[in-house]
Amino acid sequence: MLTSRDLEVGYRTQRETISVSRHISFDLSEGEMGAIVGINGVGKSTLLRTLARVQQELSGSIEVEGTPIDRFRQKDWATKVSVVLTEPLAAKNLSVEQLIGLGRHPYTNWIGMLSRADMMKIQEAIELMELENLKSKKCHELSDGQLQKVLIARALAQDTPVILLDEPTTHLDLYHKVQILKMLQEIAHSKKKTVLYTTHEIDLAIQLCDKILIMEKGQNSFGSPEALIRSNHFDRIFPPDTIRFDPKTASFKIYK
């Protein structure tokens, strides 16, 4: 469903090309949830934005359903991939239901008229994210956790086979982190969506994800959490004199 081959991500300016990460290869199938993990500055968000066509790849290839992403027209692309980024929301004066309704934009006519089918998709997204009692509230009245659920619901209303999320659990307490990630896992498995997100919550990703991409300086590793644990890939993420990975508990321990 989503494939990357020998991908290089970074930035181009008028004067130079800045490479952030190279040799990124992975593939996620329908119904799988994956996480992108690594230390700060390794390129997680840059990779996600590149996969979302927000910025151009430097080299390599990205395919969705076997088609290179640069071959999709913008309107067609919006029916294949939905994105939840970390930028501040500009439309906080909209109601929850109105904001979720924006996810149907790729399917509406030129005046944005919502059909009965569009309203059903919006209602389904509201129910999946358990937002029924909030749908009339303005988005500026919501907590961080509630707003994050609304943004995910907007992506669900867009009804794409691939959903990309940049750090969807930032600023949330442990309960709400787990709640949102379990919802995403259930959506991936039950609705046969391909979900990929960036995160610093590596312990949670190990417990909940089908596949994990570990980004490191100079190399990247991809596979199931179990395979990555057996191959000792989590041991290299942090300096071993500070934080160590315990394969028995599949968690990180502070070195004392």
Side-chain angles (χ1 to χ4, degrees):
M1 182 60 70
L2 177 62
T3 302
S4 164
R5 290 288 175 264
D6 201 26
L7 185 65
E8 180 180 10
V9 299
Y11 304 89
R12 287 191 176 95
T13 68
Q14 291 183 339
R15 296 185 177 181
E16 61 180 337
T17 297
I18 302 169
S19 178
V20 175
S21 185
R22 299 184 176 93
H23 309 306
I24 305 168
S25 296
F26 68 88
D27 56 89
L28 282 173
S29 299
E30 180 185 88
E32 288 188 326
M33 183 165 83
I36 303 169
V37 305
I39 62 173
N40 288 341
V42 78
K44 299 186 297 295
S45 293
T46 303
L47 171 59
L48 195 89
R49 292 170 68 87
T50 304
L51 296 172
R53 290 207 328 185
V54 175
Q55 63 190 71
Q56 184 73 31
E57 69 272 15
L58 299 183
S59 64
S61 66
I62 307 167
E63 295 182 352
V64 170
E65 295 182 332
T67 300
I69 64 171
D70 58 2
R71 294 187 185 175
F72 289 98
R73 296 183 303 169
Q74 191 61 43
K75 186 174 179 64
D76 295 333
W77 178 249
T79 67
K80 295 296 182 183
V81 176
S82 52
V83 186
V84 180
L85 298 177
T86 54
E87 280 82 356
L89 182 64
K92 281 196 173 183
N93 202 42
L94 294 178
S95 71
V96 165
E97 189 171 27
Q98 287 171 330
L99 182 61
I100 295 171
L102 294 179
R104 298 304 300 168
H105 179 71
Y107 309 96
T108 58
N109 57 28
W110 65 278
I111 59 173
M113 184 72 70
L114 294 172
S115 68
R116 181 176 176 82
D118 293 324
M119 295 304 299
M120 289 176 65
K121 288 293 182 182
I122 293 167
Q123 183 59 35
E124 181 183 5
I126 288 171
E127 292 174 0
L128 280 171
M129 296 308 296
E130 301 176 0
L131 294 167
E132 188 67 42
N133 63 329
L134 297 175
K135 67 180 184 180
S136 298
K137 274 199 167 188
K138 298 293 187 181
C139 289
H140 65 75
E141 299 176 314
L142 304 179
S143 69
D144 288 340
Q146 290 170 335
L147 182 57
Q148 194 62 44
K149 290 170 69 174
V150 172
L151 294 175
I152 295 171
R154 182 182 63 181
L156 292 176
Q158 197 172 331
D159 195 25
T160 58
V162 177
I163 303 173
L164 304 177
L165 309 99
D166 193 13
E167 299 190 29
T169 57
T170 300
H171 307 309
L172 303 183
D173 60 46
L174 181 59
Y175 169 76
H176 287 96
K177 289 178 191 290
V178 173
Q179 183 189 45
I180 283 179
L181 291 178
K182 288 189 74 174
M183 283 180 168
L184 289 172
Q185 182 196 52
E186 173 63 20
I187 288 163
H189 293 173
S190 65
K191 300 296 182 181
K192 300 302 179 184
K193 305 287 187 182
T194 300
V195 176
L196 179 63
Y197 71 101
T198 63
T199 184
H200 290 97
E201 309 292 335
I202 305 176
D203 289 3
L204 296 181
I206 290 171
Q207 295 179 67
L208 293 170
C209 288
D210 302 293
K211 302 284 178 61
I212 295 178
L213 174 66
I214 303 175
M215 297 185 70
E216 304 172 70
K217 294 293 184 182
Q219 66 179 36
N220 305 284
S221 307
F222 177 75
S224 68
E226 297 79 11
L228 293 171
I229 290 171
R230 288 195 301 269
S231 302
N232 302 317
H233 285 294
F234 291 107
D235 299 1
R236 302 196 301 262
I237 296 178
F238 302 109
D241 60 344
T242 306
I243 300 173
R244 292 184 177 179
F245 183 74
D246 181 357
K248 294 181 179 178
T249 61
S251 61
F252 291 90
K253 307 292 184 183
I254 298 173
Y255 180 66
K256 299 179 181 180

